[in-house]
Amino acid sequence: GFSRILFKVETCRISESESLAPLAWTSQIQKLSRAPGIFLLDQRRRFSTMTEIETNQRDSELFSPPSNVRGMTKLDRTAFKKTVTIPVLKVRKEIVNKLMRSLKRAALQRPGIKRVIEDPEDEESRLVMLDPYKIFTDGSFERAELSILKQLNVSPQIHKYNLELTYENFKSEEILRAVLPEGQDVTSGFSRVGHIAHLNLRDHQLPFKHLIGQVMIDKNPGITSAVNKINNIDNTYRNFQMEVLSGEENMMTKVRENGYTYELDFSKVYWNPRLSTEHSRITELLKSGDVLFDVFAGVGPFAIPVAKKNCTVFANDLNPESHKWLLHNCKLNKVDQKVKVFNLDGKDFLQGPVREELMQQLGPLSKERKHSVHIVMNLPAKAIEFLSVFKLLLDGPPCGIELLPIVHCYSFSKDPNPAKDVQQRAGAVLGISLEACSSVHLVRNVNQDDPPLKRQKTDKVFSEEKTQIASVT
């Protein structure tokens, strides 16, 4: 709670006429604030006059859950009840709306807590909840706030109110910080995939995993399932095993990205909401009439937006589930007539459909061709290895550089200079130097275990570099 300083009204009471220039009053408060605090509370009343609050004795953890929840592994929402003392203003109910527009800074702002409540002692009045970290006394109001109080004939006298907090009033991060061992990292962020919250918990969080999952569901509207990744991404099908921590076990979900809808089984295909910007960036590079070869297409986040631009798209994925959902999403977004879908190994796709189409593109009429060709290889763990396929891929006489495809090859790098690292590694596979004919674009920074979307850490680890390689075949 708060402490009250008692003093003589005759010597310290501020009058209305002095309220806008309380210089002497401020000095007196500074002296009084050093005096020992005397706390008085009439237990029969919900609120009482609070003439002064000693700021250096305010509870810095006022809005933290009670300490007895520390170590809880099974969520007990009833254990989070707590009573705190909040400063309030007593206001006539007919002026509340007008007053609140001018007290945005001073008013309490907490989830699930009403800022205006009924006065238990006067049905014609209301109590306005104030922020206890900003308002300690009537001298804590800013000049403009005092002015509006005077205009509306509202006394700046501070009262206090015993407010009961429950589980609903605490934020997810506050709950987890109170439950987990002190000093331990708190996971309050996650990747959202439709109705699913995808977490990557650390080892020290695993004893609390079911509680963490339930808190994420409780505190995030629309989330009905929380899952935790329990192994690394499989390099063959780009999916991973996961454990349902809480909520529904239904992994069939729908997501929206850049205006397009994708439906998928999150337990069987790869989907990363962090790549939305990259999908959009590549899409913007292509113009109507261009050709895209998507070697590792997943469920279509590159292929579908590009097809919508009236481009010709060849999309491939080895994972049978990804292939199934790619076909489904092409129909869902009405581009199934513009996308040719394949279910092949990446090298077979490059040496088969890609090679055949490129040979046609580079045929006798190639000099009249006005469109460009792009090849996207978004498999960061292994894509560079697939570049070896481009050596001697095409037959026939050499052609101009402008006719060759632009290859977008993704890779992870932990090197202090990731751009140079991926450029050199790609060049080594191709047997040429790429310094003069390539560019590198940093997509994002990730940790080895890919931390939650809302709480990414770099830790000097650079990952998922996008290398745009031009004229390498």
Side-chain angles (χ1 to χ4, degrees), residues 144-194:
E145 293 167 341
L146 286 172
S147 177
I148 192 68
L149 291 177
K150 184 175 181 179
Q151 290 176 25
L152 297 175
N153 196 28
V154 176
S155 170
Q157 186 179 40
I158 301 298
H159 303 264
K160 61 184 178 182
Y161 180 83
N162 284 344
L163 174 67
E164 185 179 84
L165 300 176
T166 65
Y167 173 80
E168 285 69 28
N169 302 129
F170 296 111
K171 303 173 185 176
S172 58
E173 186 172 352
E174 293 168 337
I175 292 171
L176 298 182
R177 184 175 291 113
V179 169
L180 269 62
E182 287 189 81
Q184 300 260 0
D185 180 41
V186 173
T187 295
S188 61
F190 55 87
S191 296
R192 180 165 187 164
V193 184

Side-chain angles (χ1 to χ4, degrees), residues 363-383:
L365 300 177
S366 61
K367 293 182 180 180
E368 301 176 5
R369 195 185 80 193
K370 295 182 180 181
H371 62 267
S372 62
V373 178
H374 295 255
I375 300 176
V376 172
M377 302 169 65
N378 184 19
L379 183 64
K382 299 184 70 175

Side-chain angles (χ1 to χ4, degrees), residues 385-401:
E385 299 174 17
F386 284 78
L387 292 176
S388 62
V389 176
F390 289 96
K391 293 190 295 185
L392 304 177
L393 178 66
L394 304 178
D395 300 327
C399 64
I401 291 177

